Amino acid sequence: MKITLDADKCCAAGQCVLIAPEVFDQRDEDGVVVLLDAAPPAAQHDAVREAAAICPAAVIEVHA
Ligand code: SF4
């Protein structure tokens, strides 16, 4: 799994961080998403897919 995202379009909702805190974080100053692990281990895949599905700005893309 590889993850890409467009942080410029992130609305800082933080949903991804709640669901997959080992993969996503938020910048302290404005809450914009920070990708901690662009190729997370299998144990994280379900959480990452869920985060991508519920991201209100639809900026998280998951590639097989
Ligand atoms: S869920 Fe989407 S909009 Fe919210 S912080 Fe994460 S990437 Fe940004």
Side-chain angles (χ1 to χ4, degrees):
M1 169 184 279
K2 288 231 168 87
I3 304 168
T4 57
L5 54 78
D6 185 351
D8 289 344
K9 294 185 183 156
C10 169
C11 64
Q15 301 293 344
C16 57
V17 182
L18 291 174
I19 293 170
E22 293 176 30
V23 179
F24 304 103
D25 199 357
Q26 287 175 280
R27 293 199 303 229
D28 287 340
E29 61 270 30
D30 57 11
V32 166
V33 67
V34 174
L35 185 57
L36 300 175
D37 188 351
Q44 297 290 324
H45 289 186
D46 284 352
V48 169
R49 287 197 185 93
E50 187 179 348
I54 69 153
C55 170
V59 301
I60 301 170
E61 288 193 19
V62 176
H63 311 274

